[in-house]
Amino acid sequence: MERFNTMLEAAEYAATLCNSWSFAYSNTEVYDSAKLLVSAQMSDEENPVDEDSFYVVSPSGTIGLCQDGEEIDWLFLSNCAVDEDLPATLSSASQQIKFCPNCGSGVVPGARFCAGCGTKLS
Ligand SMILES: [Zn+2]
């Protein structure tokens, strides 16, 4: 799970993973990359998040807002992985990657590479 301080950064990253999103609170509206980036920019200008908050992007490109460092409010759902199992909190997200699939050593939550063998973690 990647973390970003602004929604625009999150959206730019998500756009490398996916090309279509649905807004979580309206299942009729579909966003393409351009529309997502415009919405993200407006959101940053109108409702910048405070220091304790950040955006997260799931491996499929779903964008969520983490307000208290724990619970995740998923905002833009990736249409590339509709059955994705999204964690409700960051701690449950980090539990998904607990051990290196290659060598089995413990992995720090959020680490990109295994400290034991250097395998890239997804
Ligand atoms: Zn390893």
Side-chain angles (χ1 to χ4, degrees):
M1 196 92 63
E2 302 286 336
R3 298 185 186 195
F4 301 91
N5 292 325
T6 68
M7 182 151 174
L8 185 59
E9 288 174 74
E12 282 172 345
Y13 177 70
T16 67
L17 302 170
C18 179
N19 55 21
S20 173
W21 295 262
S22 296
F23 187 53
Y25 302 103
S26 139
N27 46 21
T28 52
E29 209 158 359
V30 174
Y31 290 75
D32 62 14
S33 302
K35 192 173 171 184
L36 182 77
L37 291 173
V38 169
S39 302
Q41 206 162 5
M42 275 170 50
S43 170
D44 285 339
E45 284 169 12
E46 290 170 16
N47 310 296
V49 293
D50 60 44
E51 287 172 8
D52 298 330
S53 304
F54 52 87
Y55 290 92
V56 292
V57 177
S58 82
S60 73
T62 291
I63 301 171
L65 175 60
C66 198
Q67 297 237 43
D68 53 10
E70 186 60 23
E71 272 186 52
I72 302 173
D73 190 14
W74 294 104
L75 303 172
F76 290 93
L77 307 177
S78 166
N79 288 338
C80 302
V82 284
D83 294 329
E84 186 178 24
D85 191 14
L86 293 167
T89 63
L90 269 191
S91 50
S92 62
S94 58
Q95 279 165 10
Q96 287 177 343
I97 309 171
K98 224 170 170 182
F99 299 100
C100 170
N102 185 49
C103 70
S105 62
V107 172
V108 180
R112 290 180 167 211
F113 297 93
C114 171
C117 68
T119 294
K120 193 173 190 298
L121 307 164
S122 55

